[in-house]
Amino acid sequence: MSKIIALANQKGGVGKTTSSINLAASLAVLEFRTLLVDADPQANSTSGIGFDPRNIKNSIYECIINEIDPHEAIQKTDTPNLDLLPAHIDLVGAEIEMINLENREFKMKGVLDSLRSEYDFIIIDCSPSLGLITINALTAADSVIVPVQCEYFALEGLGKLLNTIKIVQSRLNTALKIEGILLTMYDVRLRLSNQVVEEVKNHFEDMVFDTIIQRNTRLSEAPSFGISVIMHDATCKGAINYLNLAREIVRKNGLVIDEAAAAATEETA
């Protein structure tokens, strides 16, 4: 039975898609069967992992609206153990089409529940909004990771997101937990970055992941090659950060890392 984790923040530019791709790839490298679900109409996770959204015939949209079998949409990636349930631009219209559907908040849950037995982890990249697609993702998920950038206004809008999570917990998904708050875009040279880390940790304490994602050129480059940072340069800080995050999540969920896989990633890192 897999663990479904949504990455959500209605604020754009916080490293949500970067984190979705690289966390999924890191879990796959640690030999966990992983599915990356692109639930963002911009389809950045789809292109960032090597697929042209314009050439995608079946996507999460067709699974939700037309109820096609998700196996007809899932794509194998170049990373072993990592599959993709892609998005394309039609997802923009899905929220309007879903308004009159019965149990509209549970459409994605139905799709992903049918895949649970095939994966250890399902990672959902949510859109930068708190619309019906994101509500669907939170209803389908077991937990949510909230990426927060180490920049000015970091906490802006976070209260609104946490309030939305509480509403979903009370009305739609009582089992939903906050997996953790993930600090991203950390620059060790900037005093502001350190202030934000301190502020977020003071505010949220144990909810904050120990792993912090640092600003890294190789991390920024990887999507332009259509690959994760671990496939682009396994020795860079970005790859090491996301591998550490994956390990932290694995430990938190009481799972055991394959020692041979862990040793292999240690050697490359």
Side-chain angles (χ1 to χ4, degrees):
M1 202 65 163
S2 61
K3 175 89 183 256
I4 302 179
I5 304 175
L7 279 85
N9 193 331
Q10 81 277 17
K11 204 163 181 274
V14 297
K16 181 178 50 57
T17 296
T18 298
S19 295
S20 299
I21 291 171
N22 292 301
L23 171 58
S26 295
L27 289 166
V29 164
L30 293 174
E31 301 204 342
F32 291 98
R33 296 166 303 158
T34 306
L35 176 68
L36 174 61
V37 179
D38 192 347
D40 183 352
Q42 296 174 83
N44 289 336
S45 275
T46 299
S47 58
I49 207 73
F51 295 89
D52 187 340
R54 293 168 299 183
N55 297 332
I56 296 293
K57 290 181 181 172
N58 291 322
S59 71
I60 186 71
Y61 169 84
E62 281 76 18
C63 297
I64 292 171
I65 301 299
N66 302 330
E67 298 185 351
I68 72 155
D69 184 336
H71 294 97
E72 292 179 32
I74 288 172
Q75 305 282 338
K76 293 272 178 203
T77 76
D78 291 336
T79 304
N81 302 312
L82 179 61
D83 291 347
L84 170 74
L85 183 49
H88 58 54
I89 195 63
D90 285 358
L91 196 57
V92 169
E95 299 205 355
I96 297 166
E97 294 179 60
M98 289 166 73
I99 285 171
N100 295 320
L101 294 180
E102 198 175 337
N103 294 321
R104 62 190 181 194
E105 297 91 352
F106 295 90
K107 292 297 179 183
M108 193 181 297
K109 179 176 172 58
V111 173
L112 299 186
D113 278 354
S114 70
L115 299 169
R116 274 188 184 268
S117 62
E118 298 169 42
Y119 296 97
D120 300 306
F121 286 97
I122 297 176
I123 305 296
I124 311 172
D125 179 19
C126 297
S127 63
S129 74
L130 295 179
L132 196 47
I133 298 292
T134 298
I135 298 298
N136 259 260
L138 295 175
T139 303
D142 299 310
S143 65
V144 56
I145 291 173
V146 182
V148 174
Q149 83 280 33
C150 294
E151 292 176 2
Y152 199 60
F153 296 135
L155 298 178
E156 190 183 64
L158 204 51
K160 190 176 179 185
L161 173 63
L162 295 175
N163 191 48
T164 301
I165 291 169
K166 278 182 188 170
I167 292 168
V168 172
Q169 286 170 326
S170 64
R171 298 182 191 172
L172 300 167
N173 183 1
T174 54
L176 182 66
K177 301 269 192 306
I178 295 178
E179 190 78 22
I181 291 171
L182 176 65
L183 290 159
T184 64
M185 303 181 189
Y186 175 76
D187 190 333
V188 70
R189 299 165 301 176
L190 296 181
R191 190 169 150 206
L192 176 63
S193 283
N194 294 305
Q195 287 173 338
V196 170
V197 169
E198 199 175 318
E199 187 179 2
V200 173
K201 286 189 172 177
N202 285 341
H203 222 81
F204 297 102
E205 299 174 342
D206 294 344
M207 288 169 65
V208 184
F209 283 109
D210 292 333
T211 304
I212 296 176
I213 308 302
Q214 296 174 307
R215 280 196 180 278
N216 179 245
T217 304
R218 306 297 271 168
L219 186 57
S220 304
E221 286 173 356
S224 65
F225 294 96
I227 51 176
S228 65
V229 70
I230 201 162
M231 298 294 279
H232 182 47
D233 182 356
T235 64
C236 74
K237 270 184 188 158
I240 294 165
N241 289 164
Y242 280 108
L243 277 167
N244 287 338
L245 176 64
R247 289 190 180 97
E248 193 174 342
I249 288 168
V250 168
R251 284 195 302 270
K252 195 173 182 180
N253 285 281
L255 299 171
V256 177
I257 295 173
D258 182 294
E259 290 305 325
T265 54
E266 288 287 358
E267 282 169 22
T268 57

